[in-house]
Amino acid sequence: MKPCEKIFTYAVLIFCAAVFALPMLVMISGSLQSPEQLARNPYSIPTTLRWSNYADAINSMPMLLYLSNTLLLCVGCVVGTTLSCSLVAYGLCKIDFRGRKLLMMSVLATMLLPWQIMMVPRFVLIREIGLYNSLWAIIGPTFLGDAFFIFLLRQFFVSIPESLLEAGQIDGLGHWGLFRRIVLPLSWPAITTVALFQFVQTWNDFGGPLLYLSDPDRFPLAYGLERFVSSYADQTHLLLAASVLFTVPIILLFFLAQKIFIEGIATTGVKG
Amino acid sequence: MVDRASQLRSSSSWVAGMAFTSPWLLGLVALFAWPFAASLYWSFCTFDIINPPRFVGVENYQRLAAEIASGRGAGKALMNTVYYALLSVPLSVVLGVLLAVVLSAQVRGQAFFRTIIFLPSVIPVVASSVLWIWMLDPDGGLMNLILGWFGVPPQNWLNQARPAVSIEGVAQIGGWLTGGPLLLMGSKDALVLMTLWGVGNFVVIYLAAISDIPATLYEAADIDGASGVRKLLHVTVPMLSPVIFFNLVMGLIRSVQTFTSIYVLSAGTGQPGESLMTVSLRLFTSAFADFEMGYASAIAWVMFVGLMFCTVLLFRTSKSWVHYRQ
Amino acid sequence: MKIISRKFVFSGGWVLGCAVVVFFLFQSYRHADRSDAAAAKGREEVVFWHFWGGEDRTIVDGIVDRFNDSQHQYFVRAIAMPGNNLQAKLFLAVAGGDPPDIVNQDDPVLADWAKRGVIQPLKNVAAAAEVDQVKQSLLAPARRLSVVDGALFAVCNGLDIRTLLYNQTAIDAAGLAVPQTIAQLDAIAEHFWPSVTDGPPPRLHSPVGYLPDSRRLWAWGPAFGADFYDPQTKQCKLDSAPVLAALKWMVGYSRRYGADNLASFGQGDQSLPGQTFPLLPVDDDAVVGRYVVIMDGQWRVRDVAAFQKRRADLGLPEVKFGACPLPVPTGGSEFNGRDANGQPQPQPQSQSQSPGRKDAGWVNGNFFVVPTGAKCPRGAWEFAKFWIGQSAFSDAESAADGYAQGGWIPVTREVAESATYRQYVTENPLMETFVRLASSPHQYPIPVVVGAALLKRAVENMTYDAMIKNNADDTDDKAIAALLKQRSAEVIRRLKVMQELTF
């Protein structure tokens, strides 16, 4: 690259980064200011950091309770999704049976259905089986698979060489054995991707709790935070602190597993 | 070899296949097929969830048609959704591609810049909505402050129903240039802006696709003496077209289904002046605030058919501009 | 980009898993703890949902504790559900088969819930004589908020009254009068922010005399003499001369001061409790109050008191505030912009013949309902009676305690006139007007009919469209009349269909 080109590129990059980073920076700095500071001069770099905003935010809503609910949901959903989707993906990919193509098509087709069309009947279904106002209303469906994750895992399973499975078969393994001993150990990267995406998705999930949970003792963070927003609209410093607290784990997770995130998105499209 | 292997394994394969895929089979019936049929039936009923549904024929669809014709209620919601989709989808494609091109430049700190651009898309929607409500405050919000540096008067953002891209919006600009006030940006434009901030997801996809473009194409263009812009338009964009197409379809579906951000930004009301009452919020309100499940189902079905129609249309047109590599 | 080893991520997963287990144990322990508390005393648990947060929540918890201490049969467990859409939550809980025993609500949903069987008529819960006694004890606006087709379905427990809150100091300094007529209110608006004869209206500036909010046709309608509901025919009426007069008067403001200014005022400044209170200076002591007059509810009395205390602490001069009922039109003298010479122009006589009604306005309130399927309806009823001071376990004085603490407006005459509450009003003279209006016969809620929520939205959207969406230029009087006619026909037709489909 020519030097002038290089300077231009840097200028553009720095400009873009500034534009994208600015909201995040003011969010953090705003969360550390006193209400008076926020009212007068919110965008200066705070001189005194008011860490007590975070304590206040935690105390003004049952944040730990919400967190424990969120974590329960996340773990439940991650277990449900990884279990069901890997089984189904194996079935769709490594077992040759009649109707397989049809099932595969059904997986693809359901990805195009808007969730709104399912919203009312699913609610009625959840009510009928008595899961309303239970965390299982949100966890349960993940045990029945998710089209996107099935597709993602199938794409990965396809790349596992047949010869390996064949060798396993010669050793006397059935489908369960092949799945457990050969396919699963080889697929950790893909399964981790699924688990991560599901975790983030459940962490952020707002519609599920909005529809299915009525007891505030069962609210997860995303929903609890929204309630907080509507009742503490003038306490911007607390809202920002709560938002930062809610965001930090996801950001940390992203930095821990950057490669998995990026590759997952790049190879399969958008989710999460 | 492969054939023999699958034959070996296919001896009892039907049972095994069914066993392995049984979660999905159950899910397909319980979470898709039945809901699909039920909502179709209920769209011809009056149904409040508590009392049993009662068949009323096409009443819901008639109402929907009337509202769409008059441009209020669901009609208004439809217009809001169309505005949001028409603005946010193309803009996020253009911005996404441009950012990806810049971010693919081989410079020091590339990973850092990529991370910055990507991070906003990881921030949970509820949290980023809180942030944007604050930044878009007409009185002392960050956005208006920055606009002020460039001599742009403060905007009303989430307090204004009228969107920027409208006849009145053009009139506003005209008035401003001749010394009048400028109140351009409305609530939907704020929503578009927030969507664009989270474009990082798409950028990652474009980046992956750009890294797959063979360097020889650019070398050939260099020999022809092509400028940077020409290379972008004649090499990068055509090579990216399958991914752009994919993102167009996904972006369309996503924009029509956007719910959480709209719900948080408007506290579930779709205010000001119904300007944030999009189809998906309308649907939720009809179902779970007005308890007109039948009407909500009708809206959902019309939305589904509309979305399908647009997707098919996109696929049709894609043949003329999407270049698949052999 | 840097990758952290997979092993690290997995070990992180284990830590996370352990944390979850700990939390889960902690949580189940908490649950067990609480239900044990009620069970140990051998009482029936009454689950009570409300949406109060912040200061109010402490007061509510205090009332709950007092109730629990007052008797040994019931134990109320209060669950705070701050935020929006509580009405949806309750409906879903009833539909989902897991409803609470008593719910506090303030959305216009009573008739819908009653007709759809979401809540019980209170005659199913208590003896007819007892129900009737409670019904008779309620002040007229509170009764309107509690009754569907003559039957008591709710117990209103606090009224929300809107008055005009004004900055007395600013009005005095300008030599103006506290507004009793619409013309006087217009004069205040015009004094602090003179409208311009040509060119675009200026950007919102301080101070602002008065700006109407598009959501408040419900209040101005009755003040102009409108009835939104005819109890004889049980029908809503929107398209009437007084409503039109009120609407035209409101649109007049958007013509003079600019639709965009009104829009930002309505959505931003004058809003729910918790939002910045626009009568008070935000941070600059030189600017005393951005708005000289606004329409708002009794919860602002607390804000004003806090503000005055802060000024006193800082040694700043006192700023006086007052509250007055909505002014009324007197016919013919409404301000209608300025003529070419800059002289105020009155509205033509014929347009505002509607008689104004004093002490009129829009009333809303919080009310208790007992959902269908409640496990302890009797306990719910006792708690509701306790709250409003109609219970054997509480007299007017002890109920007044909660109202005084919360700055709420009582729903019975006994509590309003109790020594405790009078004491509170004496200490907070702004409350006087609110409390007086609570027994006015002309305070109307949104009609308690099936589809009331839709009706509310439709009227507010219509007013918004008339005031803000259309450009001020093209909303001539004919267009406003046509809009009102068309929209009201539409919504009334819709309400009829809804009513037919509900039964």
Side-chain angles (χ1 to χ4, degrees):
Chain A
M1 246 192 281
K2 283 174 251 162
C4 62
E5 248 179 70
K6 204 161 197 172
I7 290 167
F8 177 73
T9 312
Y10 267 116
V12 173
L13 277 174
I14 289 169
F15 175 76
C16 292
V19 167
F20 275 77
L22 198 61
M24 295 186 278
L25 294 178
V26 294
M27 179 170 169
I28 294 167
S29 94
S31 74
L32 291 168
Q33 296 181 22
S34 65
E36 291 76 31
Q37 239 176 322
L38 272 183
R40 276 164 208 274
N41 194 5
Y43 308 115
S44 57
I45 295 163
T47 42
T48 48
L49 300 184
R50 222 169 95 122
W51 293 102
S52 61
N53 282 350
Y54 286 88
D56 291 347
I58 291 174
N59 289 330
S60 45
M61 63 171 172
M63 198 115 173
L64 292 179
L65 179 68
Y66 292 163
L67 177 67
S68 74
N69 288 329
T70 293
L71 289 178
L72 276 176
L73 282 178
C74 284
V75 170
C77 289
V78 165
V79 169
T81 296
T82 46
L83 205 70
S84 61
C85 293
S86 56
L87 280 172
V88 174
Y90 178 88
L92 289 177
C93 178
K94 297 294 178 194
I95 305 175
D96 191 18
F97 62 100
R98 252 166 57 144
R100 178 172 83 158
K101 281 223 175 70
L102 205 69
L103 271 184
M104 193 59 220
M105 269 169 55
S106 77
V107 170
L108 295 176
T110 55
M111 280 203 259
L112 292 174
L113 289 182
W115 59 269
Q116 279 91 346
I117 211 165
M118 256 64 82
M119 180 178 75
V120 175
R122 277 190 190 177
F123 176 83
V124 173
L125 180 78
I126 294 285
R127 176 189 72 179
E128 290 302 318
I129 52 180
L131 291 185
Y132 177 77
N133 196 19
S134 149
L135 297 186
W136 284 106
I138 294 161
I139 299 174
T142 59
F143 279 87
L144 301 184
D146 173 288
F148 174 82
F149 294 134
I150 292 173
F151 182 69
L152 190 152
L153 285 174
R154 185 191 165 268
Q155 296 304 86
F156 191 89
F157 289 176
V158 166
S159 66
I160 296 175
E162 280 294 321
S163 54
L164 279 177
L165 297 190
E166 221 178 301
Q169 234 179 345
I170 290 162
D171 290 347
L173 292 177
H175 278 298
W176 178 246
L178 292 173
F179 172 69
R180 233 191 60 112
R181 297 276 174 78
I182 297 173
V183 174
L184 272 193
L186 285 173
S187 320
W188 280 120
I191 289 175
T192 315
T193 309
V194 169
L196 264 179
F197 280 2
Q198 180 66 53
F199 186 92
V200 173
Q201 200 177 315
T202 311
W203 182 275
N204 295 346
D205 183 25
F206 175 75
L210 176 67
L211 281 185
Y212 298 129
L213 300 179
S214 68
D215 185 348
D217 284 352
R218 299 198 179 108
F219 287 169
L221 273 174
Y223 192 49
L225 186 62
E226 192 273 333
R227 309 239 114 194
F228 188 70
V229 173
S230 43
S231 50
Y232 290 81
D234 59 338
Q235 314 257 34
T236 310
H237 59 298
L238 296 186
L239 285 180
L240 291 174
S243 304
V244 170
L245 284 176
F246 178 54
T247 307
V248 160
I250 292 296
I251 300 283
L252 279 182
L253 200 65
F254 167 71
F255 278 114
L256 282 177
Q258 256 190 51
K259 199 176 146 75
I260 297 172
F261 262 94
I262 301 284
E263 280 182 357
I265 293 171
T267 49
T268 52
V270 191
K271 185 99 180 182
Chain B
M1 273 308 260
V2 174
D3 281 343
R4 196 170 60 87
S6 20
Q7 268 165 22
L8 260 173
R9 269 183 276 125
S10 71
S11 48
S12 60
S13 62
W14 198 82
V15 176
M18 281 297 153
F20 271 86
T21 54
S22 58
W24 177 250
L25 277 172
L26 196 59
L28 195 63
V29 173
L31 300 179
F32 290 99
W34 178 76
F36 205 60
S39 78
L40 183 60
Y41 172 64
W42 290 340
S43 72
F44 294 99
C45 294
T46 169
F47 182 33
D48 65 6
I49 280 205
I50 292 203
N51 302 298
R54 224 173 60 210
F55 191 79
V56 291
V58 292
E59 145 81 26
N60 289 324
Y61 287 98
Q62 268 172 352
R63 178 181 166 194
L64 193 54
E67 287 193 0
I68 289 175
S70 74
R72 276 195 304 285
K76 177 97 194 154
L78 187 69
M79 287 192 295
N80 285 332
T81 301
V82 167
Y83 181 92
Y84 172 62
L86 277 184
L87 218 59
S88 72
V89 176
L91 280 180
S92 58
V93 165
V94 172
L95 183 70
V97 170
L98 288 179
L99 279 173
V101 169
V102 179
L103 287 172
S104 64
Q106 297 295 325
V107 293
R108 239 207 268 210
Q110 189 200 45
F112 169 77
F113 289 118
R114 288 185 176 188
T115 308
I116 293 285
I117 304 291
F118 182 69
L119 269 186
S121 69
V122 194
I123 294 180
V125 178
V126 176
S128 59
S129 304
V130 171
L131 172 64
W132 279 87
I133 290 173
W134 178 54
M135 289 202 309
L136 293 174
D137 190 324
D139 231 7
L142 178 69
M143 215 60 198
N144 280 349
L145 187 81
I146 294 174
L147 288 180
W149 295 344
F150 299 96
V152 181
Q155 301 295 302
N156 270 336
W157 298 111
L158 291 168
N159 287 351
Q160 179 180 309
R162 185 186 63 225
V165 184
S166 58
I167 297 163
E168 292 96 333
V170 175
Q172 280 278 329
I173 296 180
W176 183 50
L177 294 175
T178 53
L182 178 71
L183 284 171
L184 194 59
M185 305 305 266
S187 54
K188 284 191 284 284
D189 308 299
L191 187 65
V192 170
L193 213 63
M194 195 178 136
T195 311
L196 291 180
W197 188 55
V199 79
N201 266 333
F202 290 114
V203 174
V204 169
I205 304 174
Y206 294 127
L207 274 175
I210 286 178
S211 69
D212 285 347
I213 299 176
T216 49
L217 287 178
Y218 290 106
E219 284 156 16
D222 277 335
I223 293 168
D224 292 347
S227 69
V229 178
R230 282 186 71 89
K231 274 192 278 187
L232 176 67
L233 287 179
H234 295 285
V235 182
T236 314
V237 170
M239 293 303 286
L240 283 184
S241 59
V243 187
I244 291 177
F245 174 65
F246 173 80
N247 282 348
L248 264 182
V249 176
M250 295 306 289
L252 178 72
I253 293 175
R254 211 157 66 146
S255 69
V256 172
Q257 296 191 26
T258 305
F259 177 78
T260 306
S261 53
I262 297 171
Y263 188 96
V264 181
L265 287 183
S266 71
T269 62
Q271 299 290 348
E274 290 196 289
S275 62
L276 284 180
M277 185 54 87
T278 56
V279 171
S280 60
L281 186 57
R282 173 80 261 165
L283 224 155
F284 176 82
T285 312
S286 287
F288 295 110
D290 298 347
F291 303 102
E292 300 184 307
M293 304 289 165
Y295 186 54
S297 300
I299 298 177
W301 267 89
V302 169
M303 166 180 158
F304 171 60
V305 171
L307 202 57
M308 276 292 144
F309 179 77
C310 292
T311 313
V312 169
L313 214 66
L314 268 180
F315 267 94
R316 281 279 162 81
T317 62
S318 74
K319 281 176 190 138
S320 63
W321 62 271
V322 176
H323 307 276
Y324 289 102
R325 255 186 294 167
Q326 299 307 309
Chain C
M1 289 187 204
K2 204 185 160 200
I3 327 153
I4 307 253
S5 77
R6 207 180 303 143
K7 208 169 149 194
F8 187 87
V9 174
F10 286 134
S11 60
W14 277 111
V15 174
L16 217 74
C18 294
V20 169
V21 172
V22 171
F23 266 115
F24 183 66
L25 290 174
F26 174 68
Q27 200 193 350
S28 49
Y29 169 73
R30 261 176 42 111
H31 275 289
D33 187 38
R34 198 168 37 200
S35 31
D36 282 354
K41 291 177 189 153
R43 303 204 206 172
E44 292 173 64
E45 192 183 58
V46 179
V47 178
F48 166 43
W49 281 9
H50 65 81
F51 50 71
W52 282 294
E55 280 177 61
D56 286 327
R57 186 170 170 184
T58 328
I59 298 162
V60 169
D61 287 342
I63 296 174
V64 169
D65 287 345
R66 273 215 310 271
F67 176 75
N68 287 339
D69 293 341
S70 74
Q71 39 74 48
H72 298 286
Q73 200 174 353
Y74 308 108
F75 185 88
V76 169
R77 179 157 81 90
I79 300 181
M81 310 190 81
N84 328 303
N85 275 341
L86 183 63
Q87 88 278 22
K89 278 275 168 255
L90 178 75
F91 203 100
L92 297 184
V94 172
D98 190 14
D101 298 295
I102 182 166
V103 180
N104 179 64
Q105 178 55 245
D106 70 346
D107 291 311
V109 287
L110 192 67
D112 287 81
W113 283 2
K115 301 287 182 188
R116 292 181 198 279
V118 180
I119 54 174
Q120 312 187 24
L122 293 170
K123 67 173 169 34
N124 290 6
V125 176
E130 215 182 326
V131 173
D132 200 53
Q133 192 223 324
V134 168
K135 185 173 156 188
Q136 294 313 322
S137 76
L138 294 173
L139 295 169
R143 204 178 312 136
R144 285 191 188 123
L145 281 161
S146 308
V147 167
V148 181
D149 285 351
L152 196 70
F153 269 88
V155 178
C156 180
N157 61 63
L159 290 165
D160 290 340
I161 300 282
R162 258 88 180 166
T163 65
L164 288 190
L165 288 153
Y166 56 89
N167 185 329
Q168 178 88 58
T169 308
I171 289 183
D172 286 349
L176 293 160
V178 171
Q180 291 185 325
T181 65
I182 291 288
Q184 285 171 321
L185 180 58
D186 289 339
I188 293 175
E190 189 63 16
H191 174 87
F192 287 99
W193 188 1
S195 52
V196 286
T197 41
D198 53 357
R203 173 81 181 153
L204 205 57
H205 65 117
S206 328
V208 174
Y210 173 76
L211 289 177
D213 181 326
S214 65
R215 288 167 301 179
R216 297 292 176 256
L217 184 62
W218 289 113
W220 287 114
F224 275 70
D227 290 304
F228 286 113
Y229 183 69
D230 183 351
Q232 254 74 56
T233 57
K234 292 181 180 174
Q235 290 299 323
C236 295
K237 298 189 301 188
L238 291 179
D239 188 11
S240 65
V243 175
L244 183 59
L247 187 60
K248 279 180 184 167
W249 172 72
M250 291 169 82
V251 174
Y253 272 79
S254 86
R255 282 189 198 147
R256 296 201 294 278
Y257 302 117
D260 287 318
N261 288 328
L262 256 68
S264 37
F265 167 69
Q267 289 296 324
D269 286 331
Q270 187 187 37
S271 201
L272 297 166
Q275 297 282 359
T276 327
F277 185 49
L279 278 171
L280 311 178
V282 186
D283 58 345
D284 188 352
D285 291 323
V287 186
V288 178
R290 190 167 173 193
Y291 299 95
V292 180
V293 180
I294 62 160
M295 186 196 294
D296 216 330
Q298 71 278 357
W299 45 85
R300 295 306 185 192
V301 173
R302 207 152 59 177
D303 296 350
V304 170
F307 162 76
Q308 282 174 327
K309 187 176 175 301
R310 221 178 70 210
R311 278 186 76 87
D313 291 348
L314 292 170
L316 294 163
E318 193 191 359
V319 179
K320 284 193 194 135
F321 291 96
C324 64
L326 303 194
V328 289
T330 46
S333 58
E334 271 69 68
F335 185 77
N336 197 31
R338 286 173 188 270
D339 62 19
N341 305 321
Q343 294 304 309
Q345 218 181 356
Q347 261 186 358
Q349 278 287 346
S350 62
Q351 293 203 351
S352 41
Q353 281 168 341
S354 57
R357 223 167 14 196
K358 285 195 167 178
D359 292 349
W362 172 49
V363 64
N364 193 27
N366 291 308
F367 53 86
F368 292 128
V369 287
V370 180
T372 307
K375 284 163 207 82
C376 186
R378 185 70 217 186
W381 169 251
E382 286 301 334
F383 180 62
K385 284 201 303 177
F386 181 88
W387 187 294
I388 65 166
Q390 286 288 314
S391 152
F393 311 118
S394 70
D395 57 9
E397 292 295 336
S398 66
D401 228 38
Y403 285 98
Q405 275 177 38
W408 302 328
I409 297 178
V411 291
T412 67
R413 192 163 302 277
E414 290 82 357
V415 175
E417 288 170 0
S418 68
T420 313
Y421 197 75
R422 286 312 307 172
Q423 170 73 20
Y424 163 72
V425 174
T426 314
E427 285 161 14
N428 295 273
L430 280 185
M431 278 306 279
E432 191 68 64
T433 312
F434 289 97
V435 176
R436 188 168 66 75
L437 288 180
S439 46
S440 155
H442 296 309
Q443 292 285 328
Y444 293 102
I446 289 160
V448 182
V449 294
V450 170
L454 186 137
L455 175 67
K456 177 172 186 282
R457 276 204 311 268
V459 168
E460 290 173 5
N461 288 336
M462 172 191 72
T463 316
Y464 188 92
D465 286 353
M467 290 174 71
I468 287 155
K469 207 182 104 192
N470 300 326
N471 278 330
D473 306 334
D474 53 54
T475 42
D476 61 26
D477 287 354
K478 253 190 214 152
I480 300 172
L483 184 78
L484 177 63
K485 198 182 172 84
Q486 184 212 359
R487 294 292 179 91
S488 47
E490 233 174 64
V491 66
I492 298 225
R493 201 181 321 128
R494 187 74 239 145
L495 288 185
K496 279 214 179 94
V497 174
M498 281 181 84
Q499 276 156 20
E500 279 160 19
L501 291 178
T502 312
F503 309 124

